[in-house]
Amino acid sequence: MSPVVQEFRPSIDELAELIVGFAANVQPGQVVSVLSEPGKEAVTRAVAESAYRRGARFVDVWYFDYYVKRARLAHAAENTLEYVPPWYGERLLALGREQAARIALAGLAAPHALDGLDPARAGRDRLPILKELVTVVNERSTNWTAAPAPTGPWAELVHPELEPEAAYARLWDEIVHVCRLDEPDPATAWRTRMRELVATAERLTARRFDALHFEGPGTDLTIGLLPSSSWQAAEFTRADGLRHLVNVPSEEVFTTPDPERVDGFVRATLPLEYVGSIIRGIEVRFEAGRAVSIEAESGAGVLRTAAAGDEGASRLGEVALVDRRGRVGPLGTIFYDTLLDENAASHIALGQAYTFAVADSDKRRVNESHIHIDFMIGSDDVAVTGLTRDCGRVPVLYGGEWQV
Amino acid sequence: MSPVVQEFRPSIDELAELIVGFAANVQPGQVVSVLSEPGKEAVTRAVAESAYRRGARFVDVWYFDYYVKRARLAHAAENTLEYVPPWYGERLLALGREQAARIALAGLAAPHALDGLDPARAGRDRLPILKELVTVVNERSTNWTAAPAPTGPWAELVHPELEPEAAYARLWDEIVHVCRLDEPDPATAWRTRMRELVATAERLTARRFDALHFEGPGTDLTIGLLPSSSWQAAEFTRADGLRHLVNVPSEEVFTTPDPERVDGFVRATLPLEYVGSIIRGIEVRFEAGRAVSIEAESGAGVLRTAAAGDEGASRLGEVALVDRRGRVGPLGTIFYDTLLDENAASHIALGQAYTFAVADSDKRRVNESHIHIDFMIGSDDVAVTGLTRDCGRVPVLYGGEWQV
């Protein structure tokens, strides 16, 4: 263990305890899967230790190595890039059958691993994301969460103006803050924040808007909602009722839109990191639900290839609203990691929808895809207005403040 | 990449090329599994790159973390320690069905991970070894190899008298030497050495000894052979004929003994590292094939627990002879890693036998077990004598020199 890691020892243990004991809510006897990367050993091992102390039966760590992925993208035959060994998906489905706990450690351990590669080739290899994830999430068989694991390379990407050690210390400070580890009892602080978000979600659901309208610099986008679209916070329950918080941090409320009724154009307000590649300056035009044009300052090919992967990949599966009362946005930090950045700003996602956010009557209408890619479109300069079925316009989120 | 790793860049690439191109003999279109550890990233990534350059379809790396294993052994419930997620074994069997290449990177990245734990508990968790390995090896469906990946912690264990950087440099020098990477063409050097070992194996087979007798300090052991026991070198072929070298380095010839006819006592001549634990000063007494007593200066519980795991775990599945003409023994270095140390000295293995080393007529007589644990019993002070069916005694290996 390096001196730097020892210095952050209390934070590592507190983060692991929050992840295992509160967010994933690991139960005695459970199998616990951990998706990690080389470079995240300290948090990974603390998570494993916390899980075993809570009576886990087995902790199954998958260290996914983006430099091995780089070797593939650089050298493998074009027609093999979408191959995934069948045992990867079978493991995930088995975790579902086991009613396992699933923990993903976010943050970048190797932010430059895919630099300079062809984005179109990069977009064809979506690992470590698996197509079976959609099934396991929507059947609600696992108690899962995603939480950040700070690393030196990630810190240097986020804070290039600082010396490496200072950048790493700053990133840890920020992670401690956004994860509410600086509260006397982080779990209680999260329960309080979740009550606020659930209340907001319930107010939004009660409005039964027909659509949302996003308007700001480079953005004029209308997103239709389904009749039964209900707003959700990130506090989920397994099908059997076990509570878990799926993102730490989480500051969003979200719902499942109508994949046939999205029109206009949108400019991303933050860069997007997707399976190892960074995409900057995204601009998308939608017509009748479909993304008909995807442009970006850099990395557009990654997103275009992913969005061309199946019929639903170019349609929306999520719309989420984030106010300025959360802890991520006010930092003004670009984390280059969706888990953090999507909780700084309202966002939409191409691809698979959460089916549990609509009633049975609408389940056949929600978007289906093997992808789910969130990108950020909100800021204080983007106004969000609710459109009612009788053509009324209701302010929803202006200047980052709730109007409902 | 650290400066230290850059310094060893040529060796890393040459080692990877030897592993992938010659030893595992990776073929275009193959899936390649790599068993590695956090801390062995540089060699792992070089192996992946070499495999993809040779046309591999996919490289599936499993970084097994001994510190996660430590958390389990320290905290998990006693009755869960033998649990292995079923998808671990299913993956290995699927690699067999795929006729995949399998590469294991030996050497210790975390030599102190299990320090201070209860050896009896440690012996119950054999991961990363899987019980399905016996099936896959004996069906000869995969082209596989094991080769060392030097790490700093391993170097400090092997050369505690040196400063860490000097120890790491020394270990690399030794690995380069024993892997014959200091030869103009390492693959040609290995072909030459394998021809010698195969010729020795053929001479031994032609003698059709009834038994071998090991005699030296603390050792007086007779190991019966089966009528069709044939001696082998580590150059294997897949069932379909694809050649692969299963150990780099390899200096041994070995065969499958009679598990019912082993009698006497034996003192190990080197310490043994087994799934994370180090066992020193092993002394075993055999009666009618069974290890009836297992003692050690330290770590005996690990070996005793493993040997009690099933009926065949206390009987022999291998006897191997190593002369002093190899490159490992003359170094006089204890590597605390079976791959290296077993090629320094003659050895025997508790547990599963290689079924292909006997004819069909003897296959039902070979030892079966879920374990295969080699430990070293040879030295220049241990004389190996062949016993013929007519009660003759034939010198085989005296002072480390072949007598046959």
Side-chain angles (χ1 to χ4, degrees):
Chain A
M1 191 172 301
S2 74
V4 172
V5 169
Q6 281 175 331
E7 190 180 332
F8 291 98
R9 190 77 249 174
S11 297
I12 289 174
D13 291 338
E14 287 159 16
L15 177 60
E17 192 60 22
L18 179 69
I19 292 170
V20 173
F22 179 72
N25 195 11
V26 170
Q27 301 295 302
Q30 275 203 299
V31 172
V32 181
S33 73
V34 181
L35 174 58
S36 184
E37 287 177 74
K40 297 178 181 171
E41 289 85 351
V43 174
T44 302
R45 292 165 182 170
V47 162
E49 177 154 347
S50 175
Y52 279 123
R53 282 181 186 275
R54 286 175 175 274
R57 180 155 42 109
F58 192 80
V59 179
D60 180 15
V61 177
W62 181 19
Y63 284 108
F64 183 83
D65 189 337
Y66 280 92
Y67 283 98
V68 171
K69 177 168 177 158
R70 177 186 185 83
R72 180 187 204 190
L73 293 174
H75 302 296
E78 186 78 20
N79 64 357
T80 65
L81 291 178
E82 283 160 25
Y83 174 80
V84 177
W87 47 91
Y88 281 28
E90 285 159 14
R91 168 179 176 271
L92 185 51
L93 295 174
L95 288 168
R97 287 192 301 274
E98 282 274 347
Q99 296 189 289
R102 292 189 305 107
I103 293 167
L105 295 178
L108 292 84
H112 303 294
L114 307 190
D115 283 0
L117 295 174
D118 173 3
R121 277 173 66 91
R124 294 183 58 183
D125 176 359
R126 299 195 306 114
L127 289 169
I129 298 176
L130 301 170
K131 69 179 177 0
E132 291 80 2
L133 188 61
V134 166
T135 305
V136 173
V137 167
N138 277 322
E139 75 186 9
R140 298 164 60 215
S141 52
T142 60
N143 41 316
W144 59 276
T145 195
T151 66
W154 185 24
E156 291 168 46
L157 178 76
V158 175
H159 297 298
E161 75 287 0
L162 299 178
E163 291 298 307
E165 289 210 6
Y168 188 57
R170 171 75 63 84
L171 181 61
W172 257 114
D173 284 347
E174 291 174 327
I175 295 301
V176 163
H177 179 67
V178 301
C179 291
R180 292 173 166 79
L181 295 172
D182 50 2
E183 295 290 331
D185 180 352
T188 299
W190 277 109
R191 285 189 195 96
T192 303
R193 178 60 175 157
M194 280 299 121
R195 273 197 296 275
E196 292 172 10
L197 290 168
V198 167
T200 301
E202 287 172 352
R203 286 200 305 279
L204 283 168
T205 300
R207 294 291 186 133
R208 290 289 169 212
F209 290 126
D210 181 55
L212 291 180
H213 182 219
F214 288 77
E215 198 167 21
T219 292
D220 184 349
L221 184 71
T222 302
I223 301 174
L225 301 180
L226 293 167
S228 70
S229 292
S230 75
W231 291 82
Q232 311 279 327
E235 192 157 59
F236 284 21
T237 51
R238 259 186 4 188
D240 64 0
L242 184 70
R243 181 205 59 75
H244 56 110
L245 182 62
V246 302
N247 286 175
V248 179
S250 182
E251 307 286 358
E252 64 172 306
V253 293
F254 68 91
T255 194
T256 291
D258 183 345
E260 307 284 336
R261 294 194 300 132
V262 181
D263 289 277
F265 52 89
V266 64
R267 178 183 295 166
T269 52
L270 287 171
L272 167 65
E273 184 275 338
Y274 179 62
V275 293
S277 299
I278 293 174
I279 312 162
R280 296 173 192 271
I282 298 169
E283 295 193 328
V284 183
R285 176 176 290 279
F286 288 90
E287 289 178 11
R290 281 180 54 86
V292 293
S293 153
I294 296 175
E295 302 293 336
E297 288 164 22
S298 65
V302 176
L303 198 55
R304 277 191 210 123
T305 305
D310 57 54
E311 166 58 26
S314 60
R315 296 180 184 273
L316 292 189
E318 178 184 339
V319 55
L321 300 177
V322 177
D323 66 36
R324 56 187 302 173
R325 300 297 173 91
R327 291 195 170 191
V328 185
L331 291 178
T333 300
I334 300 174
F335 287 99
Y336 299 97
D337 186 89
T338 298
L339 175 66
L340 280 300
D341 291 331
E342 73 170 349
N343 285 301
S346 297
H347 52 273
I348 52 181
L350 290 169
Q352 178 66 38
Y354 294 102
T355 56
F356 48 81
V358 299
D360 284 349
S361 54
D362 285 332
K363 284 204 196 301
R364 60 175 183 76
R365 295 177 61 183
V366 312
N367 199 36
E368 293 184 356
S369 173
H370 288 146
I371 71 164
H372 179 100
I373 307 179
D374 297 275
F375 61 100
M376 285 56 75
I377 65 167
S379 78
D380 288 357
D381 298 330
V382 176
V384 185
T385 306
L387 308 183
T388 63
R389 275 163 225 288
D390 55 3
C391 303
R393 293 178 63 87
V394 179
V396 170
L397 193 63
Y398 282 11
E401 297 286 353
W402 291 112
Q403 310 295 313
V404 293
Chain B
M1 190 170 302
S2 75
V4 173
V5 170
Q6 281 174 332
E7 190 179 332
F8 291 99
R9 190 77 248 174
S11 297
I12 289 174
D13 291 338
E14 286 159 16
L15 177 60
E17 191 61 20
L18 180 68
I19 292 170
V20 172
F22 178 72
N25 196 11
V26 170
Q27 302 295 302
Q30 275 203 300
V31 172
V32 180
S33 73
V34 181
L35 174 58
S36 183
E37 288 178 73
K40 298 177 181 172
E41 289 85 352
V43 174
T44 303
R45 291 164 183 171
V47 162
E49 177 154 347
S50 175
Y52 279 123
R53 282 182 186 276
R54 285 176 177 273
R57 180 153 44 107
F58 192 79
V59 178
D60 180 15
V61 177
W62 180 18
Y63 284 108
F64 183 83
D65 189 338
Y66 280 92
Y67 283 98
V68 171
K69 176 167 178 158
R70 177 186 185 83
R72 180 188 205 191
L73 293 174
H75 302 296
E78 185 78 18
N79 64 357
T80 64
L81 290 178
E82 282 161 25
Y83 174 80
V84 176
W87 47 91
Y88 281 28
E90 285 159 14
R91 168 178 176 272
L92 185 51
L93 295 175
L95 288 167
R97 287 192 301 273
E98 283 273 347
Q99 295 189 290
R102 294 189 304 108
I103 294 167
L105 295 178
L108 292 84
H112 302 294
L114 305 190
D115 283 0
L117 296 174
D118 174 2
R121 277 173 66 91
R124 294 182 58 184
D125 176 359
R126 299 195 307 114
L127 288 169
I129 297 176
L130 300 170
K131 68 178 175 6
E132 291 79 2
L133 188 60
V134 166
T135 305
V136 173
V137 167
N138 276 323
E139 75 188 8
R140 298 164 62 215
S141 52
T142 59
N143 41 316
W144 59 277
T145 195
T151 67
W154 185 24
E156 290 169 45
L157 178 75
V158 175
H159 296 298
E161 74 288 1
L162 299 177
E163 291 298 306
E165 289 210 6
Y168 188 57
R170 171 75 63 85
L171 181 61
W172 259 114
D173 284 347
E174 290 175 327
I175 296 300
V176 163
H177 179 66
V178 300
C179 292
R180 293 175 166 76
L181 294 171
D182 51 1
E183 294 290 329
D185 180 350
T188 298
W190 278 109
R191 284 189 195 97
T192 302
R193 177 61 175 156
M194 281 299 123
R195 273 197 297 273
E196 292 171 10
L197 290 167
V198 167
T200 302
E202 288 172 351
R203 283 200 306 277
L204 284 168
T205 301
R207 294 291 185 133
R208 289 291 167 211
F209 289 126
D210 181 56
L212 291 181
H213 181 221
F214 288 77
E215 197 167 20
T219 292
D220 183 350
L221 185 70
T222 302
I223 301 173
L225 301 180
L226 293 166
S228 71
S229 291
S230 75
W231 291 82
Q232 311 279 328
E235 191 157 61
F236 285 21
T237 52
R238 259 187 4 190
D240 64 358
L242 185 69
R243 182 204 59 74
H244 56 109
L245 182 61
V246 301
N247 286 176
V248 179
S250 182
E251 307 286 359
E252 65 174 305
V253 293
F254 68 93
T255 193
T256 291
D258 182 344
E260 308 285 335
R261 294 195 300 133
V262 182
D263 288 277
F265 51 89
V266 64
R267 179 183 296 166
T269 50
L270 287 170
L272 167 65
E273 186 274 338
Y274 178 62
V275 292
S277 300
I278 292 175
I279 312 161
R280 296 173 192 271
I282 298 168
E283 295 192 326
V284 184
R285 175 176 291 278
F286 288 88
E287 290 177 10
R290 280 182 55 87
V292 293
S293 153
I294 297 176
E295 302 294 334
E297 288 163 23
S298 64
V302 176
L303 198 55
R304 276 190 210 123
T305 305
D310 58 53
E311 166 59 26
S314 60
R315 295 180 184 274
L316 292 190
E318 178 184 340
V319 55
L321 300 176
V322 177
D323 66 34
R324 56 187 303 174
R325 301 298 172 89
R327 289 196 171 190
V328 184
L331 291 176
T333 300
I334 299 173
F335 287 99
Y336 298 97
D337 186 272
T338 297
L339 174 65
L340 280 301
D341 291 332
E342 74 170 349
N343 286 301
S346 296
H347 53 274
I348 53 181
L350 290 169
Q352 178 67 38
Y354 295 101
T355 56
F356 47 81
V358 299
D360 285 350
S361 53
D362 285 331
K363 285 204 195 303
R364 60 173 184 77
R365 294 178 62 184
V366 311
N367 199 37
E368 293 184 355
S369 172
H370 289 147
I371 71 165
H372 180 99
I373 307 179
D374 296 274
F375 63 100
M376 283 57 75
I377 64 167
S379 78
D380 288 358
D381 298 330
V382 177
V384 185
T385 306
L387 308 183
T388 63
R389 276 163 224 289
D390 55 2
C391 303
R393 293 180 62 88
V394 179
V396 171
L397 192 63
Y398 282 11
E401 297 287 352
W402 292 111
Q403 310 296 313
V404 293

